[in-house]
Amino acid sequence: MDDSYKEPLSYSSIEKEDWAADLDERIYFLALAIEGKEELREIMTGKAINRGDVDFFLLQKMLQKLNLASLEVSAITSGLDCEEEKAEQLASFLERKVSIKERNLTVAAIITGAAISVVSGAILLAGESDKYIEIAAITGGLVEVWLGLKILRLEKKMAIEHKSNVLQMIRDQDNSQGIFPPSVWYYFNNAPSLEEVSLRDKLIERWDEFHDLPEDEFGVLFSDGGAYDAEMLDTRAELLDQLGAQITLMQQDILRFQRFLLNH
């Protein structure tokens, strides 16, 4: 198992200690996420006081941890943006591919109908028996039916495999591959207080409630791969966008923490 993997903690394990009773819950929560609780405790309890000021080295160390967390948020959201763009490009490619095939078959059906009309007219002008007209009409009709069935049965999906499916990781709450930085994973899977719900739980609820796909197709988005059509790829891109937006919220708490330290 990757060393960066962390099991999400229950709130009972992240309740505030006495020294942090009056501290902003989100600042304390973020300190836990970036493993800066001890440094924050020293700052808050005055154990790091040096000549009337908070020890500069300790403050610098804390700010460095916050900067690292900010970089980790940017890194994971950039990766999610790439996955989103990939899904959108595949959806566009598949739509174009299907559209070209449908257009070609439709044109073939039109040409077939026109050809039958021409042949029937030529037979009439030649004064041939009506049975030849009937044969031509039946043959043309069968060809048109065949082309129509080809359009209806046109393959509109493509097989896609996910070696590392971040959507699956979020739903299964499994970061054993270490794709998500520890600070981001902790922040995303926990809540600052008992009254709040984690970002992960909010997102999962939104995904389950507002998607328009059949359940079997929706399930493919959280698997190791399967047959995707353009709508499924567009939905995957949308879910990745929502995930990235939720993770970006961590930047707001990082900024709040930095301001707190600089004004403390």
Side-chain angles (χ1 to χ4, degrees), residues 135-199:
I135 291 172
I138 292 172
T139 302
L142 290 174
V143 172
E144 288 181 322
V145 169
W146 178 78
L147 290 171
L149 290 174
K150 287 282 288 183
I151 293 174
L152 290 174
R153 296 176 180 177
L154 194 62
E155 181 58 56
K156 298 181 179 180
K157 292 187 176 184
M158 63 187 302
I160 298 177
E161 292 184 3
H162 304 300
K163 293 182 179 179
S164 299
N165 188 349
V166 292
L167 299 180
Q168 183 182 32
M169 294 174 194
I170 294 300
R171 180 173 285 280
D172 295 346
Q173 212 166 13
D174 178 12
N175 190 37
S176 57
Q177 295 184 47
I179 299 298
F180 291 85
S183 60
V184 174
W185 187 252
Y186 181 97
Y187 182 91
F188 190 73
N189 284 276
N190 292 280
S193 69
L194 284 171
E195 289 74 28
E196 296 186 51
V197 178
S198 71
L199 293 177

Side-chain angles (χ1 to χ4, degrees), residues 8-15 186 190:
L9 303 181
S10 63
Y11 185 74
S12 61
S13 63
I14 62 174
E15 289 181 348
Y186 181 97
N190 292 280

Side-chain angles (χ1 to χ4, degrees), residues 204-232:
I204 293 294
E205 182 179 359
R206 187 183 310 150
W207 286 349
D208 290 338
E209 186 172 354
F210 294 108
H211 74 85
D212 297 323
L213 295 175
E215 289 302 321
D216 58 336
E217 293 185 351
F218 190 62
V220 173
L221 274 61
F222 303 94
S223 69
D224 296 328
Y228 278 80
D229 60 19
E231 184 181 3
M232 292 169 67

Side-chain angles (χ1 to χ4, degrees), residues 10 13 21 49 59 61 82-83 96 105 111 116 126 145 157 161 166-167 175 219 225 231 236 262:
S10 63
S13 63
I49 298 298
L59 181 60
K61 183 178 180 182
C82 290
E83 284 293 312
R96 288 195 301 270
L105 289 171
I111 292 174
I116 295 303
V145 169
K157 292 187 176 184
E161 292 184 3
V166 292
L167 299 180
N175 190 37
E231 184 181 3
R236 175 174 170 80
L262 294 174

Side-chain angles (χ1 to χ4, degrees), residues 66-116:
L66 287 168
N67 289 336
L68 176 60
S70 180
L71 290 173
E72 290 175 335
V73 172
S74 298
I76 190 64
T77 52
S78 294
L80 292 172
D81 286 342
C82 290
E83 284 293 312
E84 178 188 350
E85 184 177 353
K86 178 182 176 182
E88 290 174 344
Q89 290 176 346
L90 286 173
S92 297
F93 167 78
L94 191 55
E95 285 176 343
R96 288 195 301 270
K97 183 178 179 181
V98 171
S99 178
I100 290 172
K101 288 183 177 180
E102 287 180 340
R103 184 172 65 247
N104 290 342
L105 289 171
T106 301
V107 169
I110 293 172
I111 292 174
T112 299
I116 295 303

